[in-house]
Amino acid sequence: VDEVDTLAKLQGIVDGVIDGVIATTIGGFDGSDDSTPPSADDYAGVGVTGVTATTLPVVNSIVGSLPTADRDSAEKLQAIADVVDEILETANGDMNSLPDLNAEDYAAIGLTEIDTAEEIDLMNFVLGVVTASQDINFESLKTLESKASRMIRVAGGETLTGDDALTVEDFEGLGIEGVTEDNLAAVVEALGQTSEPITPDSLQALVEEVVAEQEVTEPVEPALPVPTLQVWSMLLLMVLLLLMAQRTFPQTQGRRHT
């Protein structure tokens, strides 16, 4: 009886039972084909609310990809469920209803690189607008995390090479239009020199500025003059005069004067 003579002790026992259930059900899921994905009832059974038929695939995708230590309690699972719910609720292409996630939220779903204000703002925009027509799962979220994080690193003056270097696909993946293989180097250089806060709008404006500058500096081939009616008339007259001259003064060949 002494073991449960306070509410705190009773809560500890309950938490221990829940953790045990989590370890044997949800905790055993690792995302592989050999493991059974948890159901919405499994989550509800350990006190995690908000996991529905819509959010379940995304929640399981994240839970099955995280280290065990990041998903071994009802509190951690609840945090995952809450973040997924907000992402899916706001992934509608509307800039006026972006998710309001912070660094702690992103860390809860394994996106630990999103930890600065600029990265958070950029990622929130991407999740609300760009992902509206895309499948959302742990892999796609990690891909977006990489794009946003590397974009901010370049803007901070860091030079990225190899697999870390920014690509046309990186800009497209963040909803930025107008970047091509021909202007990529100029865009990346401009990004590294900008002093503007990095937002989707500022990135788009930067790209458009680079494109406009290149259009001005590209050499323009001089256009050939288009013959006017007067020119054609003069040419016709010259041809007629040449024909008349040939008729009037025929060439004589083979004559010899003695």
Side-chain angles (χ1 to χ4, degrees):
V1 177
D2 291 340
E3 295 179 354
V4 291
D5 59 356
T6 66
L7 182 59
K9 291 179 180 179
L10 180 60
Q11 186 63 58
I13 294 174
V14 172
D15 290 342
V17 172
I18 291 176
D19 291 345
V21 174
I22 292 174
T24 57
T25 55
I26 301 172
F29 177 60
D30 60 6
S32 67
D33 294 335
D34 297 331
S35 59
T36 302
S39 66
D41 289 340
D42 289 329
Y43 287 103
V46 295
V48 177
T49 61
V51 179
T52 65
T54 300
T55 63
L56 180 62
V58 185
V59 170
N60 279 345
S61 173
I62 294 171
V63 168
S65 302
L66 293 178
T68 302
D70 292 340
R71 54 187 176 91
D72 60 357
S73 71
E75 182 181 0
K76 294 173 183 177
L77 293 174
Q78 186 64 64
I80 294 171
D82 290 345
V83 172
V84 169
D85 182 63
E86 181 160 359
I87 290 175
L88 295 185
E89 185 177 345
T90 56
N92 54 16
D94 185 357
M95 290 184 60
N96 295 317
S97 61
L98 301 179
D100 185 22
L101 301 176
N102 55 39
E104 184 177 339
D105 294 326
Y106 283 115
I109 61 172
L111 306 186
T112 55
E113 293 183 24
I114 306 299
D115 57 2
T116 67
E118 290 184 335
E119 289 171 339
I120 292 168
D121 289 343
L122 187 57
M123 194 69 176
N124 281 344
F125 174 87
V126 171
L127 289 177
V129 177
V130 180
T131 59
S133 60
Q134 298 179 4
D135 290 334
I136 299 176
N137 52 47
F138 183 75
E139 183 178 355
S140 67
L141 290 172
K142 290 296 288 184
T143 298
L144 290 175
E145 174 194 40
S146 173
K147 296 179 188 300
S149 177
R150 287 183 291 121
M151 204 75 65
I152 299 301
R153 288 165 61 190
V154 170
E158 187 174 346
T159 301
L160 303 183
T161 59
D163 292 339
D164 285 340
L166 292 175
T167 66
V168 173
E169 290 73 20
D170 289 329
F171 286 92
E172 292 176 344
L174 296 180
I176 309 303
E177 301 176 347
V179 181
T180 66
E181 294 295 343
D182 292 333
N183 64 26
L184 176 62
V187 170
V188 172
E189 181 180 0
L191 178 60
Q193 296 174 351
T194 185
S195 59
E196 295 292 326
I198 301 304
T199 66
D201 287 343
S202 70
L203 283 174
Q204 188 63 63
L206 181 145
V207 171
E208 292 173 359
E209 183 177 346
V210 169
V211 171
E213 289 177 353
Q214 289 190 336
E215 289 177 349
V216 171
T217 57
E218 286 179 357
V220 179
E221 294 292 336
L224 295 175
V226 178
T228 64
L229 179 60
Q230 183 179 7
V231 172
W232 284 116
S233 299
M234 291 295 295
L235 289 174
L236 180 59
L237 179 60
M238 292 176 63
V239 170
L240 291 175
L241 291 174
L242 180 60
L243 291 174
M244 292 175 62
Q246 289 179 342
R247 288 177 177 272
T248 305
F249 305 104
Q251 295 181 354
T252 56
Q253 295 181 354
R255 293 184 180 182
R256 300 180 64 180
H257 295 282
T258 57

